[in-house]
Amino acid sequence: MDFLKNWIGALLLGALMVGCSGGDLGAGTNGGGGGSNGGDGGRGIPTVNLGSTAQVQVLYLSGQGRRAPGSQIAVFKNIKVSNSVTDFAPTAQQGSFSPVRVQLDGYTINQHTFTYTLAPRSTKTFTQFPLEIAQIDEENLGGGTTTLFSGPPVLIRPFFNINLPLFAGRQTTLTVNVNDAMIQYDSINGVAFNRTQFENENYSPGENRINGTLSDMIAFDVSGMPANERPKLLNGQVADIVHFSGDLIGISKGFDVPGTFNLLNPSVIDSGLVKRPVTLPGREAPGTYSVQEPDPRDPFGGGSKITAMAGYYRPYTEVLSNIGDFAMVVIPNSRLGPDNQVVLFNRDGAGKIKAMFQGVVRFSGSTSGTIEVWSIDQLPAGTANNLVSGTLTFAKSDGIVRSGTFTFQNPPAGFKFPTTGGFVVFR
């Protein structure tokens, strides 16, 4: 999808994604108004609450078409990511052989997820994606399917290049576009795979790889802020929630209805929806979001849509604790580079967010960096007017920045946030 290929530009503009809704995400449930990390009027550094297990989501998105007799269905098995023959995930015991069936000529989204346990305080990056076609079925006149090809599996070599970093407690999505222009079967030639077409539709321009995306969103309920300080959706409603993933930004209001969620691209705004968390036996599953974008193969602009991204979100109060009346959180991106998203906010005594800015930090030196922030109402426009800049100081642990201090230089009159304080990195 275009927004995935252009995500780095969005990040440098501060355009990260926000998505959730409703104003009922439980703000303040894990951290009251007084913070316990600083003794400075509640302006200490929050505690990040993330486990050691990373999740990988492989999303197979298929192309334009209608389900009809003759439609071919590819069955993918042994879905994994790897660095070498001895360094891969998941193992067979984790279910990597579970099949995923993809109708090649239809608008479909098929999800395959697995987990990977990281060593303490570490990040893991996988660089290869083996694509294995195990079976080809075809829909028949009766609505059922007939198997045209049942193996042995076709493993495409060389493996495809990917950049898939895993972070503890986070979800990274690898989006794979497949369609009937890439994979076809006939009785004479067998399984035909068009590698050039696959790479053209999946590789990021100039990078010769598929880039993973941090797709789990941190949801910030901003319904307690003045309406003129919050971003507006395409439908004209004022957002109740903003979310940030480090790679993506979105805004939303409401649940379950198309158009109540906007993904900020940033030059194009794509619509989607969010769903509420689901209560399961013994636990609550996170809420989810999905996004659609115009089909680039529709030459007449007839409004055709294809699914572009899906993931889950969690209220910030689930993943942060010891939150005082002010907090600054740096959210890493999947490129593991010096530029990262940052969000800063004030809360009242009841734990409701009353002011929020967002922007970019750059860990450009070994112990110092810079910060630029601006108001969240500018998110849909992708602008950074009246930005406030400053400097950072930090010490690295295991080669990674985990916390530090900031100082804003010459903040404008009416700036609602402290000019000095501490920040935490969301990892």
Side-chain angles (χ1 to χ4, degrees):
M1 299 300 98
D2 289 341
F3 80 84
L4 293 178
K5 295 177 180 177
N6 296 326
W7 73 272
I8 186 66
L11 177 61
L12 293 177
L13 288 171
L16 282 143
M17 162 170 165
V18 265
C20 191
S21 60
D24 59 351
L25 290 179
T29 56
N30 282 344
S36 62
N37 275 344
D40 55 354
R43 292 179 177 175
I45 299 175
T47 301
V48 177
N49 304 316
L50 293 171
S52 60
T53 301
Q55 184 183 80
V56 177
Q57 175 181 236
V58 181
L59 284 183
Y60 291 95
L61 306 181
S62 64
Q64 184 175 4
R66 299 180 66 88
R67 183 177 178 184
S71 294
Q72 292 191 352
I73 299 166
V75 181
F76 300 99
K77 288 186 178 180
N78 197 20
I79 300 166
K80 63 177 63 177
V81 293
S82 69
N83 290 318
S84 68
V85 294
T86 58
D87 183 10
F88 60 87
T91 63
Q93 290 78 10
Q94 291 176 292
S96 64
F97 287 92
S98 300
V100 173
R101 297 172 59 83
V102 179
Q103 181 196 342
L104 296 172
D105 65 351
Y107 290 121
T108 66
I109 177 171
N110 296 270
Q111 178 191 56
H112 180 84
T113 61
F114 57 88
T115 59
Y116 187 90
T117 300
L118 294 163
R121 304 173 71 83
S122 69
T123 298
K124 175 82 171 184
T125 298
F126 287 99
T127 61
Q128 297 177 337
F129 177 59
L131 182 67
E132 181 177 290
I133 305 167
Q135 183 174 318
I136 300 288
D137 294 339
E138 184 173 271
E139 185 164 344
N140 55 43
L141 292 172
T145 58
T146 301
T147 297
L148 304 179
F149 168 77
S150 59
V154 176
L155 181 61
I156 308 301
R157 291 183 180 275
F159 298 159
F160 295 101
N161 301 325
I162 63 172
N163 174 54
L164 191 77
L166 306 186
F167 295 78
R170 304 292 308 274
Q171 180 192 69
T172 309
T173 291
L174 185 71
T175 302
V176 181
N177 296 289
V178 291
N179 56 49
D180 54 350
M182 303 173 191
I183 303 171
Q184 295 178 339
Y185 175 86
D186 64 62
S187 58
I188 298 175
N189 299 305
V191 177
F193 182 79
N194 188 326
R195 186 182 188 94
T196 299
Q197 185 75 19
F198 181 91
E199 292 182 357
N200 286 342
E201 295 196 33
N202 285 283
Y203 277 14
S204 294
E207 294 191 81
N208 192 39
R209 67 186 184 188
I210 308 172
N211 285 316
T213 302
L214 283 165
S215 50
D216 61 309
M217 308 283 277
I218 313 168
F220 295 87
D221 183 340
V222 295
S223 60
M225 290 175 52
N228 65 344
E229 296 180 9
R230 293 184 269 155
K232 286 186 177 180
L233 281 73
L234 285 174
N235 61 16
Q237 295 195 52
V238 177
D240 279 344
I241 306 293
V242 295
H243 281 220
F244 301 87
S245 82
D247 285 343
L248 305 170
I249 304 179
I251 58 178
S252 69
K253 180 183 178 67
F255 294 96
D256 302 322
V257 178
T260 54
F261 176 86
N262 289 173
L263 176 68
L264 309 179
N265 201 359
S267 59
V268 176
I269 301 176
D270 298 315
S271 292
L273 58 86
V274 288
K275 292 185 176 293
R276 296 177 185 273
V278 177
T279 300
L280 300 173
R283 67 184 182 92
E284 184 174 77
T288 61
Y289 69 88
S290 60
V291 180
Q292 292 187 319
E293 69 175 8
D295 185 350
R297 292 160 293 181
D298 181 356
F300 304 107
S304 298
K305 298 283 188 177
I306 56 176
T307 302
M309 173 55 74
Y312 67 82
Y313 66 87
R314 293 170 291 184
Y316 77 97
T317 50
E318 281 190 12
V319 291
L320 297 172
S321 60
N322 298 323
I323 309 167
D325 58 15
F326 168 79
M328 179 183 289
V329 183
V330 175
I331 309 172
N333 63 65
S334 61
R335 297 302 181 90
L336 301 174
D339 292 1
N340 296 273
Q341 177 70 22
V342 64
V343 61
L344 59 159
F345 55 93
N346 293 335
R347 305 200 313 170
D348 64 16
K352 283 192 169 293
I353 293 175
K354 306 304 291 185
M356 175 177 281
F357 271 33
Q358 64 90 45
V360 176
V361 300
R362 298 181 176 92
F363 297 135
S364 52
S366 58
T367 60
S368 63
T370 60
I371 180 172
E372 294 179 334
V373 297
W374 51 94
S375 58
I376 63 169
D377 63 292
Q378 302 183 66
L379 283 172
T383 56
N385 297 325
N386 303 312
L387 65 82
V388 181
S389 60
T391 57
L392 307 173
T393 58
F394 50 82
K396 294 184 178 180
S397 174
D398 301 319
I400 294 171
V401 181
R402 299 187 183 276
S403 63
T405 60
F406 67 88
T407 300
F408 287 119
Q409 279 91 33
N410 303 315
F415 188 60
K416 297 181 178 181
F417 308 99
T419 56
T420 62
F423 68 85
V424 68
V425 179
F426 188 69
R427 60 186 306 162

